[in-house]
Amino acid sequence: MTSWLDDSIQHIDPAQWTLRVGPTTFDLTALHDLPHERFTAVLDCTSGWYTEQQWDGVRLSVLLAAAGVPRNGWRTVEARSATGYSRWFGAATLTNVWLVTGIAGRPLSYGHGFPARIVAPGRRGFWWVKWVTSIQPSARPPWAQPVFPLT
């Protein structure tokens, strides 16, 4: 696992970026074609600061359905970054976890995780995986990861 503390800002070419979701691969255009929502969430960073922002994204439950991932046989999904960093989200939480492509009505910046990042309201910032390249179903139980990432 790559440390979320030590990840450098990734400069991903949007024309080359793809997202693997179960058996399906999305490019950025296909991701933008999915039903997005604008919602407000507070990013509560572990360093003591926070910010409330409007985000634009697709719920992971909707993304998995669009990818044709059946709703049986898995307990979590793993969201993995271009850096190798990842977090697992329980199947029952996926309607409240988004893959976002925009903030405050604009596309994400590279520093905010362009082209796509996780937004998980009510969870600390280390759950909000940046530069997402893969969302994969897993039989792994959600409790089988450290509550706080190890470095």
Side-chain angles (χ1 to χ4, degrees):
M1 171 172 75
T2 300
S3 170
W4 59 283
L5 288 172
D6 301 325
D7 285 348
S8 62
I9 293 176
Q10 303 295 296
H11 292 275
I12 296 171
D13 179 352
Q16 301 297 316
W17 176 83
T18 59
L19 173 69
R20 184 85 173 155
V21 182
T24 304
T25 300
F26 294 90
D27 63 13
L28 196 52
T29 300
L31 180 60
H32 282 293
D33 287 343
L34 296 176
H36 278 59
E37 299 174 58
R38 180 165 289 168
F39 62 99
T40 301
V42 174
L43 170 55
D44 182 4
C45 211
T46 54
S47 61
W49 66 269
Y50 68 94
T51 180
E52 183 175 18
Q53 296 289 333
Q54 281 197 332
W55 304 89
D56 295 303
V58 59
R59 293 176 191 264
L60 290 192
S61 57
V62 171
L63 179 62
L64 288 158
V69 175
R71 293 201 44 103
N72 58 359
W74 51 273
R75 296 164 72 175
T76 59
V77 296
E78 177 194 29
R80 181 168 292 275
S81 172
T83 66
Y85 178 70
S86 64
R87 295 301 286 172
W88 283 264
F89 295 89
T93 69
L94 299 181
T95 59
N96 197 35
V97 179
W98 283 263
L99 183 70
V100 303
T101 56
I103 182 173
R106 299 181 309 272
L108 293 171
S109 66
Y110 290 112
H112 279 115
F114 178 83
R117 73 171 298 155
I118 295 294
V119 169
R123 297 184 193 215
R124 301 301 292 269
F126 59 83
W127 285 90
W128 296 35
V129 179
K130 294 179 179 178
W131 314 293
V132 175
T133 58
S134 174
I135 301 199
Q136 293 299 318
S138 173
R140 180 182 182 153
W143 48 262
Q145 69 184 329
V147 172
F148 192 80
L150 304 174
T151 60

